[in-house]
Amino acid sequence: MSHPAPPRPTGVPVARRPELPPVHGAVICVAAPCLVISPEHGQLTGQGIDGIYRSGRRLLSRCVLRVGGRDPVAVQGRSLGADRAAFTATVRTGAEPGPDPDIGVERIRHADGTERITLRSFTARPVRLPVELLLGSDLAELAAVAAGRAGPELPAGVHAAGLRWSTGAAQAVTTADPAPDDAVASAGLLRWQLELGPGESRTIELRTTQDRVVRAPAGQVANPLADARAEGDDPRAHAWFRTSVEDLRALLSRDPDGPGDAFAAAGVPWRLGLAPAESLWAARMALPLGTGLAAATLRILARTQAEGHGGGEAGKIPGPLRGAGPQLPPACTGTEATLAFPAVLAEARLWGLPEDEVARLLPAAERCLDWLRGAFGKDGFLADPDPGPRRCETQAHAHRAAVLGADLLAGCGRPGAGEWRERAAALRERFRDGFWIDGPDGGRPASALHPDGRPLPRLTGAAAHLLDTGLLSGGRLAPGLLDAVRTEQLARLLGAPAMDCGWGLRSMARQEPGHNPYGHRSGAVRAYESAVAVSGLAAAGFEKEAAGLLKGLLDAAEAFGYRLPEMFAAEQRTVGSVPVPHPAACRPAAVAAAAGVHVLTALAGIRPDAPSGTVALVPLPGAPLGAIRLAGLRVSGAPFAVRVSRLGLALVEEAADALQLGV
């Protein structure tokens, strides 16, 4: 754990953390562990963070196309899906009179390092085109590139139909089909002379790999996510849902300690790896797409769990610290993941995780609960870090773990359910006494308690976790830390303009000291937290507030091409405005992609209980997006489809034969 550093003496320089290069304008393709970052014009210039990466190493940093001795004029760069993008450009050769371009250029770039460059002639006579590609590589690690320490380009060598670069630790090869007419290693140059008749086109295919011998790209991990879809009155729901599922699939990565298990990497470009809390929450929000991702993520984290019985760390899942803004010291993501583990296993069981898989994971969940039992402080709250503040959301996570853990133990015939229900009830009582700050406007929850018990009276987006109680057997929602009156007050606060900026939920209320619309924990909209608020408000029956945040988030998704970044600036929405990107945000990010699935399935209010063979539907009243149909979901391992009418009435259209509609 870490704590805030003591103040530095006046005049002592403070070491600045390297600033991450801006990526908000980049066109990103990802199919983990492959990643391509391109500028909007498509030319990889060797500057900044652009390049073709695999497993965190840049294989190609420069790929500049010249046609007839000229740089093509960029016209458009756009994403074609999670793993590919298109760049359109034109060239004017002078073969035809007038200002119009006479050569069209299209580059289709894939995350696996493949690129197809197609040149099409619009001239009325044959044309001979000199085509050049200037290539370069530094074989730098992504972390070094981000910190500005990539180093110079490496000397190239000619290799078969292309070029290669190597160091003692790595190598990269770029090959071309058709083979170039000329290759100049000292200049990193491949050259062709192409003959094009009127209306004809020619294509050059490049493949960048880590191997000297060109091979087919490595197969991706087995996809545990169902091919689900959304459709309805608002066509944006279909686009958002489809993109969310595609991005989740693109982020799937193999666990090196268990190649059969996949997890959702936290996000690109900065965190294309396992982040315990984010990967687990993404798996939880993706449960309507099947239990496979949750099961694999739980298995991966169980392998990392601290061993032993008793002691402060036994049973805990390790995780790095995560910044919490200017108000609080960094939080431990391992604490969050440890508390999430039994809750996600409990809900995965209800969605249809086979009982034998539940049984294999149950001992790890019990160890998480054992850790929680010893982690409560003398005041009955959970500190994070310890010793340190008692965060509002940490108490919500601990309470959810206790309640859903008790349900899991009872459903699996294990002892301890009664103890955890009693602990949860005691935590509810303590929380309502210790965390609620009364006021003339109805009061609010404190964002944290200092170790001495003083409340930190900040209204933050983390309070949304108080509404995310979780699902119990029989389609029942777990009880929350707040009573009905305080839940209603919190719903009012989250739906007010101080928190709802019009594009989603601010991570800190606008009027709070230290508010920063770009602050990742002090103001910016975080897609995951907004989705938690929408589903929590919907489940608690606050239709107006849920619908307001939902529509704002959907509008933001549309503005970002339905690929929501993990966070964006919480500038107040006005007529004609658009959401403002955060320059360093991951996009795609696992929790942001899963948020689209979570929010849209919340419209149907699906509450399964696979062990008892029932599913209940509690749709959001008022149908804020009109009629919507969700198909290809998975409940009890079988396809599940549900339709919500314009009146807010839900109907199951497809389900497992043994599944009955519950109340």
Side-chain angles (χ1 to χ4, degrees):
M1 300 297 177
S2 70
H3 306 283
R8 291 178 179 268
T10 303
V12 177
V14 178
R16 294 187 62 185
R17 180 179 179 181
E19 185 173 350
L20 293 176
V23 292
H24 59 281
V27 180
I28 294 179
C29 308
V30 60
C34 303
L35 169 67
V36 179
I37 306 172
S38 308
E40 290 180 298
H41 53 68
Q43 299 271 44
L44 302 182
T45 63
Q47 304 297 314
I49 197 172
D50 299 333
I52 296 175
Y53 296 80
R54 186 175 180 90
S55 300
R57 185 178 295 277
R58 182 157 64 180
L59 303 185
L60 197 67
S61 56
R62 185 160 57 105
C63 185
V64 175
L65 173 68
R66 289 179 179 165
V67 180
R70 304 184 183 191
D71 288 345
V73 176
V75 175
Q76 185 185 68
R78 68 191 190 281
S79 174
L80 299 179
D83 64 343
R84 62 197 186 282
F87 304 92
T88 303
T90 61
V91 176
R92 185 175 179 272
T93 66
E96 298 287 347
D100 298 335
D102 46 23
I103 300 293
V105 181
E106 183 177 58
R107 306 173 72 169
I108 305 295
R109 187 169 290 156
H110 294 254
D112 66 2
T114 303
E115 179 172 345
R116 292 175 60 85
I117 302 172
T118 300
L119 298 101
R120 181 172 289 106
S121 173
F122 305 133
T123 63
R125 58 182 67 89
V127 62
R128 184 179 178 85
L129 280 180
V131 176
E132 296 178 336
L133 278 169
L134 299 173
L135 307 178
S137 175
D138 51 19
L139 289 175
E141 296 282 358
L142 177 57
V145 176
R149 298 183 283 102
E153 286 187 355
L154 299 168
V158 175
H159 173 74
L163 300 174
R164 65 178 175 86
W165 302 263
S166 63
T167 65
Q171 67 175 351
V173 175
T174 297
T175 57
D177 183 17
D181 300 322
D182 193 17
V184 183
S186 60
L189 176 66
L190 303 181
R191 184 185 293 123
W192 295 260
Q193 291 286 341
L194 300 183
E195 302 279 353
L196 275 78
E200 285 187 346
S201 63
R202 294 285 300 276
T203 296
I204 297 170
E205 181 171 292
L206 301 178
R207 184 180 295 276
T208 299
T209 69
Q210 294 173 302
D211 305 303
R212 291 180 182 270
V213 179
V214 177
R215 294 196 296 241
Q220 298 299 304
V221 298
N223 177 25
L225 301 173
D227 188 20
R229 60 196 180 278
E231 56 193 30
D233 289 345
D234 193 327
R236 299 177 302 168
H238 166 73
W240 190 17
F241 197 91
R242 182 195 67 233
T243 303
S244 296
V245 175
E246 286 181 357
D247 283 347
L248 276 174
R249 286 177 177 168
L251 290 169
L252 293 178
S253 302
R254 296 180 190 274
D255 176 37
D257 295 328
D261 289 334
F263 63 90
V268 294
W270 315 121
R271 296 190 295 150
L272 193 52
L274 177 67
E278 284 89 340
S279 297
L280 198 50
W281 286 126
R284 181 195 182 206
M285 291 191 290
L287 280 171
L289 305 179
T291 60
L293 180 59
T297 307
L298 290 167
R299 286 194 295 268
I300 292 168
L301 294 180
R303 290 194 284 268
T304 72
Q305 193 174 32
E307 298 180 356
H309 299 281
E313 297 300 305
K316 187 176 182 181
I317 295 168
L321 294 176
R322 177 174 57 204
Q327 310 295 332
L328 294 168
C332 180
T333 58
T335 299
E336 188 174 335
T338 306
L339 298 175
F341 192 106
V344 175
L345 180 58
E347 290 189 322
R349 176 176 176 266
L350 297 180
W351 280 92
L353 183 64
E355 291 295 337
D356 58 340
E357 292 194 53
V358 174
R360 284 194 292 269
L361 289 164
L362 188 57
E366 291 178 305
R367 289 193 293 270
C368 290
L369 292 173
D370 288 342
W371 173 84
L372 176 58
R373 182 186 292 111
F376 282 116
K378 293 181 180 179
D379 58 1
F381 295 122
L382 186 62
D384 185 27
D386 185 21
R390 283 76 170 134
R391 302 170 195 267
C392 168
E393 67 273 24
T394 303
Q395 313 317 309
H397 298 328
H399 180 261
R400 187 191 305 112
V403 177
L404 270 61
D407 198 59
L408 175 66
L409 295 174
C412 295
R414 296 288 297 166
E419 174 202 346
W420 284 107
R421 291 191 183 106
E422 291 175 3
R423 286 182 176 273
L427 181 56
R428 287 195 292 273
E429 185 175 347
R430 285 193 300 271
F431 187 90
R432 294 167 188 177
D433 291 339
F435 268 81
W436 192 262
I437 303 171
D438 290 317
D441 61 348
R444 61 170 65 181
S447 62
L449 297 183
H450 293 286
D452 61 7
R454 290 180 297 114
L456 181 62
R458 300 283 187 270
L459 179 60
T460 69
H465 291 279
L466 295 172
L467 301 174
D468 178 21
T469 59
L471 187 65
L472 297 174
S473 300
R476 299 171 294 122
L477 289 178
L481 280 171
L482 300 178
D483 57 26
V485 173
R486 289 166 177 166
T487 298
E488 182 176 3
Q489 169 64 4
L490 177 59
R492 186 185 68 80
L493 292 171
L494 296 182
M499 287 297 290
D500 181 358
C501 73
W503 304 111
L505 189 73
R506 290 183 171 95
S507 55
M508 181 185 286
R510 183 174 53 188
Q511 76 276 11
E512 297 291 355
H515 170 79
N516 175 358
Y518 289 90
H520 73 293
R521 299 276 170 170
S522 56
V525 173
R526 300 174 62 234
Y528 159 59
E529 218 160 60
S530 296
V532 167
V534 170
S535 61
L537 288 164
F542 297 99
E543 171 191 352
K544 177 183 176 182
E545 291 81 2
L549 285 170
L550 165 62
K551 291 177 180 178
L553 206 56
L554 177 57
D555 291 342
E558 180 184 21
F560 283 111
Y562 301 104
R563 174 182 277 184
L564 273 174
E566 61 175 330
M567 60 181 171
F568 53 92
E571 299 286 6
Q572 184 62 45
R573 184 173 184 172
T574 58
V575 175
S577 68
V578 294
V580 178
H582 189 292
C586 285
R587 180 170 175 261
V591 289
V597 176
H598 191 58
V599 164
L600 292 173
T601 54
L603 289 171
I606 306 168
R607 300 182 185 177
D609 184 354
S612 67
T614 64
V615 61
L617 299 177
V618 187
L620 183 63
L625 300 185
I628 187 169
R629 180 176 183 267
L630 301 166
L633 305 178
R634 290 290 184 273
V635 177
S636 294
F640 185 84
V642 59
R643 181 185 298 274
V644 181
S645 73
R646 295 186 181 96
L647 299 177
L649 303 176
L651 172 68
V652 174
E653 292 190 336
E654 183 180 16
D657 292 339
L659 204 61
Q660 301 295 318
L661 190 62
V663 179

Tab-separated table of all heavy atoms in Angstrom, residues 141-182:
chain	number	residue	atom	x	y	z
A	141	GLU	N	9.577	-0.942	-26.736
A	141	GLU	CA	8.451	-1.324	-25.891
A	141	GLU	C	7.469	-0.160	-25.812
A	141	GLU	O	7.867	1.015	-25.825
A	141	GLU	CB	8.931	-1.684	-24.482
A	141	GLU	CG	9.832	-2.907	-24.420
A	141	GLU	CD	9.047	-4.207	-24.508
A	141	GLU	OE1	7.806	-4.151	-24.575
A	141	GLU	OE2	9.681	-5.278	-24.511
A	142	LEU	N	6.177	-0.490	-25.720
A	142	LEU	CA	5.151	0.548	-25.660
A	142	LEU	C	5.384	1.496	-24.492
A	142	LEU	O	5.195	2.711	-24.617
A	142	LEU	CB	3.762	-0.097	-25.555
A	142	LEU	CG	2.574	0.857	-25.402
A	142	LEU	CD1	2.507	1.846	-26.547
A	142	LEU	CD2	1.268	0.071	-25.310
A	143	ALA	N	5.817	0.969	-23.349
A	143	ALA	CA	6.057	1.831	-22.191
A	143	ALA	C	7.141	2.852	-22.493
A	143	ALA	O	7.051	4.012	-22.075
A	143	ALA	CB	6.451	0.985	-20.974
A	144	ALA	N	8.185	2.434	-23.225
A	144	ALA	CA	9.250	3.373	-23.580
A	144	ALA	C	8.752	4.405	-24.579
A	144	ALA	O	9.110	5.588	-24.501
A	144	ALA	CB	10.437	2.603	-24.161
A	145	VAL	N	7.908	3.988	-25.514
A	145	VAL	CA	7.343	4.928	-26.478
A	145	VAL	C	6.504	5.973	-25.753
A	145	VAL	O	6.608	7.173	-26.011
A	145	VAL	CB	6.490	4.189	-27.527
A	145	VAL	CG1	5.834	5.179	-28.475
A	145	VAL	CG2	7.341	3.202	-28.311
A	146	ALA	N	5.668	5.523	-24.814
A	146	ALA	CA	4.797	6.439	-24.078
A	146	ALA	C	5.592	7.429	-23.250
A	146	ALA	O	5.167	8.569	-23.057
A	146	ALA	CB	3.854	5.643	-23.176
A	147	ALA	N	6.756	7.002	-22.755
A	147	ALA	CA	7.580	7.874	-21.925
A	147	ALA	C	8.556	8.709	-22.739
A	147	ALA	O	9.371	9.440	-22.171
A	147	ALA	CB	8.356	7.033	-20.912
A	148	GLY	N	8.493	8.606	-24.081
A	148	GLY	CA	9.397	9.382	-24.917
A	148	GLY	C	10.801	8.824	-24.967
A	148	GLY	O	11.746	9.559	-25.271
A	149	ARG	N	10.975	7.531	-24.700
A	149	ARG	CA	12.308	6.928	-24.660
A	149	ARG	C	12.443	5.827	-25.707
A	149	ARG	O	13.121	4.832	-25.500
A	149	ARG	CB	12.580	6.352	-23.274
A	149	ARG	CG	12.585	7.381	-22.150
A	149	ARG	CD	12.941	6.738	-20.801
A	149	ARG	NE	11.804	5.992	-20.245
A	149	ARG	CZ	11.664	4.682	-20.282
A	149	ARG	NH1	12.569	3.935	-20.888
A	149	ARG	NH2	10.610	4.091	-19.739
A	150	ALA	N	11.827	6.009	-26.864
A	150	ALA	CA	11.818	4.933	-27.851
A	150	ALA	C	13.176	4.707	-28.487
A	150	ALA	O	13.529	3.583	-28.841
A	150	ALA	CB	10.787	5.238	-28.936
A	151	GLY	N	13.984	5.735	-28.647
A	151	GLY	CA	15.276	5.564	-29.296
A	151	GLY	C	15.163	5.698	-30.802
A	151	GLY	O	14.062	5.779	-31.367
A	152	PRO	N	16.291	5.694	-31.505
A	152	PRO	CA	16.294	5.888	-32.961
A	152	PRO	C	15.818	4.647	-33.699
A	152	PRO	O	15.750	3.548	-33.139
A	152	PRO	CB	17.759	6.179	-33.264
A	152	PRO	CG	18.506	5.429	-32.198
A	152	PRO	CD	17.651	5.517	-30.962
A	153	GLU	N	15.508	4.827	-34.985
A	153	GLU	CA	15.168	3.685	-35.816
A	153	GLU	C	16.388	2.798	-35.996
A	153	GLU	O	17.531	3.260	-36.015
A	153	GLU	CB	14.657	4.147	-37.185
A	153	GLU	CG	13.274	4.728	-37.155
A	153	GLU	CD	12.737	5.012	-38.558
A	153	GLU	OE1	13.512	4.824	-39.534
A	153	GLU	OE2	11.577	5.425	-38.673
A	154	LEU	N	16.128	1.508	-36.147
A	154	LEU	CA	17.197	0.532	-36.330
A	154	LEU	C	17.546	0.402	-37.807
A	154	LEU	O	16.694	0.639	-38.682
A	154	LEU	CB	16.748	-0.822	-35.789
A	154	LEU	CG	16.410	-0.864	-34.296
A	154	LEU	CD1	15.702	-2.174	-33.958
A	154	LEU	CD2	17.680	-0.716	-33.470
A	155	PRO	N	18.765	0.016	-38.115
A	155	PRO	CA	19.099	-0.231	-39.523
A	155	PRO	C	18.322	-1.434	-40.042
A	155	PRO	O	18.110	-2.419	-39.332
A	155	PRO	CB	20.604	-0.497	-39.494
A	155	PRO	CG	20.897	-0.915	-38.088
A	155	PRO	CD	19.928	-0.187	-37.220
A	156	ALA	N	17.893	-1.346	-41.284
A	156	ALA	CA	17.109	-2.412	-41.894
A	156	ALA	C	18.007	-3.320	-42.722
A	156	ALA	O	19.094	-2.932	-43.160
A	156	ALA	CB	16.010	-1.825	-42.769
A	157	GLY	N	17.534	-4.521	-42.924
A	157	GLY	CA	18.192	-5.466	-43.820
A	157	GLY	C	17.171	-5.984	-44.804
A	157	GLY	O	15.981	-6.089	-44.495
A	158	VAL	N	17.622	-6.309	-46.021
A	158	VAL	CA	16.713	-6.848	-47.027
A	158	VAL	C	16.393	-8.293	-46.666
A	158	VAL	O	17.278	-9.074	-46.312
A	158	VAL	CB	17.344	-6.761	-48.424
A	158	VAL	CG1	16.446	-7.440	-49.459
A	158	VAL	CG2	17.586	-5.311	-48.808
A	159	HIS	N	15.123	-8.637	-46.759
A	159	HIS	CA	14.687	-9.990	-46.418
A	159	HIS	C	13.628	-10.423	-47.413
A	159	HIS	O	12.504	-9.894	-47.410
A	159	HIS	CB	14.115	-10.036	-45.006
A	159	HIS	CG	13.503	-11.364	-44.667
A	159	HIS	ND1	14.250	-12.482	-44.403
A	159	HIS	CD2	12.204	-11.751	-44.586
A	159	HIS	CE1	13.447	-13.499	-44.150
A	159	HIS	NE2	12.203	-13.082	-44.262
A	160	ALA	N	13.983	-11.377	-48.258
A	160	ALA	CA	13.035	-11.936	-49.221
A	160	ALA	C	12.290	-10.807	-49.924
A	160	ALA	O	12.894	-10.008	-50.621
A	160	ALA	CB	12.081	-12.905	-48.519
A	161	ALA	N	10.982	-10.729	-49.730
A	161	ALA	CA	10.176	-9.723	-50.413
A	161	ALA	C	9.922	-8.517	-49.527
A	161	ALA	O	8.841	-7.940	-49.545
A	161	ALA	CB	8.850	-10.335	-50.847
A	162	GLY	N	10.921	-8.119	-48.742
A	162	GLY	CA	10.704	-6.975	-47.864
A	162	GLY	C	11.944	-6.624	-47.086
A	162	GLY	O	13.071	-6.788	-47.554
A	163	LEU	N	11.715	-6.146	-45.842
A	163	LEU	CA	12.796	-5.678	-44.973
A	163	LEU	C	12.645	-6.309	-43.595
A	163	LEU	O	11.539	-6.722	-43.202
A	163	LEU	CB	12.759	-4.148	-44.848
A	163	LEU	CG	12.915	-3.323	-46.128
A	163	LEU	CD1	12.704	-1.845	-45.821
A	163	LEU	CD2	14.282	-3.553	-46.759
A	164	ARG	N	13.757	-6.333	-42.864
A	164	ARG	CA	13.699	-6.816	-41.491
A	164	ARG	C	14.575	-5.941	-40.602
A	164	ARG	O	15.514	-5.291	-41.066
A	164	ARG	CB	14.134	-8.276	-41.390
A	164	ARG	CG	15.580	-8.530	-41.749
A	164	ARG	CD	15.928	-10.004	-41.565
A	164	ARG	NE	17.274	-10.302	-42.019
A	164	ARG	CZ	18.365	-10.155	-41.264
A	164	ARG	NH1	18.246	-9.709	-40.015
A	164	ARG	NH2	19.558	-10.432	-41.739
A	165	TRP	N	14.244	-5.943	-39.305
A	165	TRP	CA	14.985	-5.200	-38.296
A	165	TRP	C	15.182	-6.136	-37.111
A	165	TRP	O	14.308	-6.962	-36.820
A	165	TRP	CB	14.219	-3.965	-37.826
A	165	TRP	CG	13.876	-3.015	-38.930
A	165	TRP	CD1	14.540	-1.897	-39.314
A	165	TRP	CD2	12.735	-3.107	-39.808
A	165	TRP	NE1	13.919	-1.281	-40.370
A	165	TRP	CE2	12.803	-2.007	-40.696
A	165	TRP	CE3	11.691	-4.017	-39.937
A	165	TRP	CZ2	11.859	-1.783	-41.686
A	165	TRP	CZ3	10.747	-3.802	-40.930
A	165	TRP	CH2	10.838	-2.689	-41.783
A	166	SER	N	16.292	-6.006	-36.405
A	166	SER	CA	16.499	-6.899	-35.271
A	166	SER	C	17.371	-6.242	-34.228
A	166	SER	O	18.179	-5.343	-34.520
A	166	SER	CB	17.141	-8.216	-35.734
A	166	SER	OG	18.423	-7.985	-36.291
A	167	THR	N	17.153	-6.678	-33.000
A	167	THR	CA	18.029	-6.361	-31.876
A	167	THR	C	18.347	-7.689	-31.198
A	167	THR	O	17.905	-8.751	-31.659
A	167	THR	CB	17.353	-5.424	-30.869
A	167	THR	OG1	16.239	-6.117	-30.269
A	167	THR	CG2	16.851	-4.147	-31.525
A	168	GLY	N	19.042	-7.630	-30.090
A	168	GLY	CA	19.314	-8.872	-29.384
A	168	GLY	C	18.075	-9.514	-28.818
A	168	GLY	O	18.030	-10.728	-28.611
A	169	ALA	N	17.026	-8.712	-28.577
A	169	ALA	CA	15.840	-9.233	-27.895
A	169	ALA	C	14.663	-9.478	-28.822
A	169	ALA	O	13.737	-10.202	-28.459
A	169	ALA	CB	15.410	-8.264	-26.789
A	170	ALA	N	14.657	-8.850	-29.996
A	170	ALA	CA	13.462	-8.941	-30.828
A	170	ALA	C	13.821	-8.692	-32.282
A	170	ALA	O	14.917	-8.224	-32.612
A	170	ALA	CB	12.427	-7.917	-30.361
A	171	GLN	N	12.853	-9.004	-33.139
A	171	GLN	CA	13.007	-8.702	-34.551
A	171	GLN	C	11.630	-8.462	-35.158
A	171	GLN	O	10.600	-8.836	-34.584
A	171	GLN	CB	13.709	-9.831	-35.283
A	171	GLN	CG	12.912	-11.113	-35.360
A	171	GLN	CD	13.609	-12.165	-36.206
A	171	GLN	OE1	14.605	-11.888	-36.869
A	171	GLN	NE2	13.090	-13.376	-36.189
A	172	ALA	N	11.631	-7.820	-36.317
A	172	ALA	CA	10.400	-7.575	-37.060
A	172	ALA	C	10.699	-7.732	-38.532
A	172	ALA	O	11.802	-7.424	-39.000
A	172	ALA	CB	9.852	-6.183	-36.769
A	173	VAL	N	9.710	-8.240	-39.282
A	173	VAL	CA	9.844	-8.444	-40.716
A	173	VAL	C	8.600	-7.876	-41.383
A	173	VAL	O	7.475	-8.143	-40.947
A	173	VAL	CB	9.977	-9.941	-41.056
A	173	VAL	CG1	9.987	-10.146	-42.569
A	173	VAL	CG2	11.220	-10.532	-40.424
A	174	THR	N	8.808	-7.084	-42.431
A	174	THR	CA	7.703	-6.625	-43.261
A	174	THR	C	7.914	-7.163	-44.664
A	174	THR	O	8.953	-6.895	-45.289
A	174	THR	CB	7.609	-5.094	-43.302
A	174	THR	OG1	7.335	-4.605	-41.990
A	174	THR	CG2	6.492	-4.647	-44.233
A	175	THR	N	6.965	-7.936	-45.157
A	175	THR	CA	7.042	-8.496	-46.502
A	175	THR	C	5.921	-7.917	-47.348
A	175	THR	O	4.886	-7.471	-46.827
A	175	THR	CB	6.924	-10.024	-46.469
A	175	THR	OG1	5.689	-10.388	-45.824
A	175	THR	CG2	8.085	-10.640	-45.717
A	176	ALA	N	6.131	-7.941	-48.665
A	176	ALA	CA	5.168	-7.352	-49.588
A	176	ALA	C	4.789	-8.360	-50.667
A	176	ALA	O	5.618	-9.166	-51.109
A	176	ALA	CB	5.745	-6.094	-50.227
A	177	ASP	N	3.536	-8.307	-51.114
A	177	ASP	CA	3.031	-9.131	-52.199
A	177	ASP	C	2.191	-8.226	-53.115
A	177	ASP	O	1.164	-7.711	-52.662
A	177	ASP	CB	2.182	-10.278	-51.651
A	177	ASP	CG	1.697	-11.209	-52.749
A	177	ASP	OD1	2.263	-11.166	-53.863
A	177	ASP	OD2	0.729	-11.949	-52.493
A	178	PRO	N	2.609	-7.997	-54.353
A	178	PRO	CA	3.767	-8.597	-55.018
A	178	PRO	C	5.077	-8.060	-54.464
A	178	PRO	O	5.113	-6.993	-53.854
A	178	PRO	CB	3.566	-8.168	-56.476
A	178	PRO	CG	2.817	-6.878	-56.382
A	178	PRO	CD	1.886	-7.046	-55.215
A	179	ALA	N	6.129	-8.821	-54.673
A	179	ALA	CA	7.441	-8.394	-54.206
A	179	ALA	C	7.835	-7.088	-54.881
A	179	ALA	O	7.483	-6.843	-56.042
A	179	ALA	CB	8.476	-9.479	-54.510
A	180	PRO	N	8.542	-6.229	-54.188
A	180	PRO	CA	8.942	-4.953	-54.790
A	180	PRO	C	9.934	-5.167	-55.925
A	180	PRO	O	10.685	-6.157	-55.951
A	180	PRO	CB	9.570	-4.199	-53.616
A	180	PRO	CG	10.040	-5.262	-52.684
A	180	PRO	CD	9.047	-6.374	-52.811
A	181	ASP	N	9.951	-4.216	-56.851
A	181	ASP	CA	10.943	-4.249	-57.915
A	181	ASP	C	12.328	-3.925	-57.373
A	181	ASP	O	13.332	-4.347	-57.931
A	181	ASP	CB	10.573	-3.238	-59.010
A	181	ASP	CG	9.223	-3.539	-59.627
A	181	ASP	OD1	8.905	-4.732	-59.804
A	181	ASP	OD2	8.468	-2.583	-59.902
A	182	ASP	N	12.350	-3.170	-56.262
A	182	ASP	CA	13.624	-2.756	-55.696
A	182	ASP	C	13.453	-2.582	-54.191
A	182	ASP	O	12.403	-2.124	-53.728
A	182	ASP	CB	14.069	-1.430	-56.329
A	182	ASP	CG	15.515	-1.085	-56.023
A	182	ASP	OD1	16.263	-1.996	-55.615
A	182	ASP	OD2	15.879	0.098	-56.169
